[in-house]
Amino acid sequence: MTQANHVFIITLSIIALGFLLKKYGFIKEEEGKTISKFLMHTTFPALMLVSMIRVELTPSLFLLPLFCIGFCGLMLTVAWFWFGTYSNELRGVLTMGAGTANVGLFGFPIIEGLFGKEALVYAVMYDIGNTIIAFGIVYPLGSYIASSGAKAVDWRMILKRVFSLPPFLAMFVGLTINLLNIPIPKLAMDGLDILATANKSLVLLLMGLYLSFALDKNKLKAISKVLAIRYGVGFVAVTALYFLLPADSQMRSVLIVCVLLPIGMTILPFSDEMNFDSRIAGTLLNISLLISFALMWGVVVLLGLR
């Protein structure tokens, strides 16, 4: 069994375990929100911090957030015009669904398993762009659609929300420590490593808790258009990355996986806040999770990414 197959089978097994724990009543889906908050304030920031502290920073790394912003911005632009004739409620959730990726909760454990911890720095830098898109473009865009363009976007509130996110703060602190070469006691690093290691299994169990096969069939046609945008543009990006970047580049492998990631989970709280249809958001998340998992597995094995 190849390393890629091993990683995806283990990943699928842990996700399935989380789903079965929910299905048979050992853990409720509502309790997933508590686990999610725990991850966002402990293991996830720890993973961000140790990844940024240990990476050897090069100018090319700072192009990754820009690549993510351009990639997601292209999908958002297509969605903005394609869904222009839809009702605001439907247009809002579909447009937001085209714009972000589930990098931290879904991408990190798979990338770590496939390429090692050292590869996480590329995913972290990509996620900086993803965070900027989510809170700097997708959130205000959804707010604009929800208010029919009548209400001004509160940029101060959005910036405050972005900069108060524990993973984002951890990225900033890690970058600062790295750039200034600030020494960290071994005891502190060992503690952070333990927390960071726990992130992978907890995240995959959480994905299983949120997994659902209850689909909103009446909206599948509209949902399929979002998926067509994401994976159509995604495959164009995969082709460009594969042929334009060096074959032995680990950054190329990580980016190829990143552009095939499922829709970001921020669409759920955003949809709730803006009174969009949360059932459509949930259906988008679940279908994209299954499609992305299959596509990533196939692409990694087919292209021999390592």
Side-chain angles (χ1 to χ4, degrees), residues 263-281:
I263 291 168
M265 292 186 71
T266 51
I267 189 178
L268 279 176
F270 287 179
S271 296
D272 286 338
E273 181 177 334
M274 298 167 195
N275 294 317
F276 295 145
D277 194 332
S278 297
R279 291 173 300 171
I280 294 178

Side-chain angles (χ1 to χ4, degrees), residues 28-208:
K28 297 179 180 179
E29 185 173 330
E30 298 76 42
E31 293 171 329
K33 293 181 180 180
T34 303
I35 298 173
S36 180
K37 287 182 180 179
F38 175 79
L39 291 172
M40 289 293 288
H41 290 83
T42 54
T43 63
F44 199 5
L47 180 61
M48 293 284 199
L49 190 58
V50 297
S51 299
M52 297 312 298
I53 289 174
R54 289 179 173 146
V55 67
E56 184 178 346
L57 293 172
T58 60
S60 61
L61 284 178
F62 293 94
L63 295 175
L64 298 184
L66 297 178
F67 171 79
C68 178
I69 291 170
F71 172 67
C72 294
L74 176 59
M75 293 189 293
L76 279 171
T77 301
V78 175
W80 174 263
F81 289 105
W82 199 356
F83 304 132
T85 58
Y86 284 52
S87 66
N88 283 344
E89 179 181 330
L90 189 55
R91 185 188 188 190
V93 69
L94 295 177
T95 303
M96 289 195 302
T100 60
N102 194 336
V103 183
L105 288 181
F106 187 75
F108 279 11
I110 290 179
I111 289 168
E112 180 183 354
L114 287 172
F115 311 119
K117 278 191 176 181
E118 65 278 3
L120 281 176
V121 65
Y122 302 119
V124 168
M125 296 302 289
Y126 185 90
D127 198 29
I128 292 176
N130 186 56
T131 301
I132 292 171
I133 281 284
F135 291 98
I137 298 179
V138 170
Y139 184 86
L141 197 63
S143 297
Y144 179 84
I145 295 173
S147 61
S148 301
K151 183 174 66 176
V153 177
D154 189 348
W155 289 102
R156 182 184 298 179
M157 182 273 293
I158 292 170
L159 288 173
K160 182 179 179 181
R161 188 169 182 179
V162 172
F163 285 103
S164 63
L165 290 171
F168 189 88
L169 289 173
M171 281 192 283
F172 179 78
V173 171
L175 276 172
T176 302
I177 291 172
N178 192 319
L179 290 170
L180 299 180
N181 199 25
I182 299 173
I184 303 295
K186 185 178 185 302
L187 182 63
M189 285 303 297
D190 288 345
L192 288 170
D193 280 332
I194 292 173
L195 281 174
T197 302
N199 187 76
K200 182 178 178 180
S201 54
L202 287 173
V203 159
L204 294 177
L205 284 171
L206 182 64
M207 295 303 299

Side-chain angles (χ1 to χ4, degrees), residues 212-224:
S212 171
F213 297 99
L215 305 181
D216 188 344
K217 296 181 181 179
N218 295 327
K219 305 295 183 181
L220 282 181
K221 183 177 180 180
I223 288 170
S224 67

Side-chain angles (χ1 to χ4, degrees), residues 10-24:
I10 293 296
T11 299
L12 184 61
S13 299
I14 298 175
I15 292 174
L17 175 60
F19 176 76
L20 292 173
L21 286 172
K22 177 188 70 172
K23 181 177 180 180
Y24 291 104

